[in-house]
Amino acid sequence: MVNMQKIAVIGCGFVGSTSAFSLIQTGLFSEMVLIDANKERAEGEAMDLSHGSAYLTPMKIYAGTYDDIVDAGIIVITAGANQKPNETRLDLVKKNVNIFKSIIPEITSRNCEGIILVVSNPVDILTEVTLKLSGFPANRVIGSGTVLDTARLKYVLGRHLQVDPRNIHAYIIGEHGDSELAVWSGASVGGIHINHFCELRGHFQHEEAMERLAQEVRDSAYEIIERKGATYYGVAVAVKRIVEAIVKDEHAVLPVSSLMQGEFGLDGLCLSIPTVVGQNGVEKVVDIHLNNEENEKLQASAKALKDILNSLDI
Ligand code: NAD
């Protein structure tokens, strides 16, 4: 029996610990288990987080073992090496696939029935690896995908247009990485097409602005890593948003990474498309409209991922 008030975080580095910090502030959980290959690290984070919880919702936070996660409603995996300066997310692949080969059997051998949320990079590849190694149904394996990139897009657009990012409907889809794309054809603000809203704000060079802003989003992880070595606050909030949608059964539309099963002519790989997310995990991949150029870019993004998957021994 899964307990939706119990969450496990595997990997307690920058991303795991900041995700845990944002999760304890939701008030959604009564229990959080932290696991890390470095047990002392998990213990230290659990102690530190527990002290904060005294002013939040009371909950039990502890460093545990895989035996402690059996009934966890959600298992967040952030374990793995992170991107080094000038390293692409895809360069990380072999290192992190091997780490997942040690983690996933620990979960499946205990018949866990919760939802796995993969955050480690390259997230689309590792979501697919998790699906294959776990044998879980596709709805129960979710990658954080382009939820972070979409937040970045909304942020840069909000700044550009002087409008609340929450009133912008626009998505980054495809790979969480270099081949991702912005779906400009369906982007809107306050119910009108984005180009029209741009004109209301005195911006008329649409092509130039779209190119510049999408590039800023695509390069933002590199820019942050160059300055401070890792990115973690943005993704921690993205993790919180996905987890909240699951636990509260929100049926929220989020661009998580999940298994493509014929959508856009794609099969047998995970990437991000706006998806209805609720307590069963992936409910429905939304068949969004793409123009020809966007569809070509999505196919290229899928091909880049497929080439990597084909080179892996999974
Ligand atoms: P980090 O090095 O700070 O932490 C990784 C942690 O994983 C370490 O504490 C390490 O001990 C632990 N670990 C390694 N092998 C393990 C194993 N077998 N079992 C349990 N724990 C293990 O790295 P980080 O900055 O926290 O990044 C973690 C991952 O998140 C990286 O892959 C990074 O690229 C990714 N990331 C994803 C996004 C996203 O949007 N999806 C954003 C930022 C970072």
Side-chain angles (χ1 to χ4, degrees):
M1 194 46 192
V2 292
N3 175 358
M4 290 311 283
Q5 290 183 355
K6 177 169 177 178
I7 188 155
V9 179
I10 303 176
C12 302
F14 287 120
V15 175
S17 58
T18 45
S19 296
F21 181 58
S22 71
L23 289 168
I24 66 169
Q25 297 178 63
T26 60
L28 291 174
F29 301 101
S30 56
E31 194 172 337
M32 176 183 281
V33 187
L34 301 176
I35 295 181
D36 197 285
N38 176 350
K39 192 157 193 302
E40 284 202 341
R41 175 80 198 241
E43 285 169 356
E45 296 296 354
M47 289 161 75
D48 202 359
L49 289 161
S50 302
H51 300 163
S53 75
Y55 293 129
L56 300 166
T57 305
M59 64 186 285
K60 185 175 165 193
I61 304 170
Y62 57 100
T65 67
Y66 285 99
D67 285 337
D68 296 307
I69 71 165
V70 175
D71 58 342
I74 303 182
I75 301 166
V76 182
I77 310 182
T78 71
N82 64 12
Q83 245 172 302
K84 303 287 174 291
N86 300 321
E87 188 179 45
T88 68
R89 293 186 182 97
L90 297 179
D91 291 334
L92 278 180
V93 69
K94 292 218 162 74
K95 271 190 249 176
N96 286 349
V97 166
N98 283 333
I99 289 176
F100 271 55
K101 281 183 175 171
S102 71
I103 293 174
I104 304 304
E106 297 281 2
I107 298 172
T108 46
S109 66
R110 287 167 175 81
N111 297 322
C112 297
E113 289 178 8
I115 289 171
I116 300 183
L117 173 58
V118 177
V119 184
S120 315
N121 276 323
V123 69
D124 304 289
I125 301 288
L126 293 175
T127 305
E128 172 75 19
V129 166
T130 301
L131 251 177
K132 283 236 165 79
L133 296 178
S134 67
F136 276 21
N139 63 301
R140 276 174 50 212
V141 179
I142 296 177
S144 61
T146 55
V147 175
L148 171 59
D149 315 66
T150 294
R152 287 172 173 156
L153 178 67
K154 290 182 186 208
Y155 163 73
V156 298
L157 276 171
R159 192 191 57 199
H160 180 63
L161 298 173
Q162 292 285 291
V163 71
D164 185 336
R166 294 171 300 180
N167 297 128
I168 298 170
H169 283 281
Y171 292 100
I172 298 284
I173 65 167
E175 177 206 356
H176 167 60
D178 296 339
S179 69
E180 68 187 29
L181 60 133
V183 185
W184 294 115
S185 64
S188 66
V189 184
I192 61 171
H193 188 268
I194 191 135
N195 288 359
H196 187 184
F197 196 93
C198 287
E199 287 160 16
L200 293 182
R201 289 303 215 186
H203 299 295
F204 296 90
Q205 307 299 322
H206 303 314
E207 289 290 326
E208 182 275 323
M210 287 190 284
E211 183 53 41
R212 178 168 46 81
L213 296 174
Q215 188 175 345
E216 182 177 341
V217 169
R218 199 166 47 239
D219 291 348
S220 48
Y222 297 117
E223 294 288 335
I224 297 168
I225 289 167
E226 202 177 297
R227 288 166 174 78
K228 57 176 248 182
T231 78
Y232 37 92
Y233 297 121
V235 68
V237 175
V239 166
K240 169 178 163 281
R241 182 69 197 99
I242 299 166
V243 164
E244 205 170 50
I246 296 170
V247 177
K248 292 184 177 170
D249 198 21
E250 284 182 10
H251 314 288
V253 177
L254 295 168
V256 292
S257 187
S258 71
L259 181 67
M260 294 296 106
Q261 302 178 88
E263 296 87 353
F264 304 94
L266 304 173
D267 246 314
L269 82 162
C270 295
L271 51 65
S272 292
I273 299 288
T275 298
V276 182
V277 178
Q279 74 180 5
N280 293 322
V282 171
E283 275 178 24
K284 177 90 193 122
V285 175
V286 183
D287 186 19
I288 55 167
H289 170 78
L290 299 178
N291 66 24
N292 287 343
E293 189 189 342
E294 289 159 353
N295 189 39
E296 275 167 23
K297 285 185 178 171
L298 178 64
Q299 300 300 326
S301 187
K303 183 176 180 310
L305 288 166
K306 202 77 188 187
D307 288 348
I308 292 163
L309 283 170
N310 289 340
S311 72
L312 294 176
D313 174 26
I314 47 165

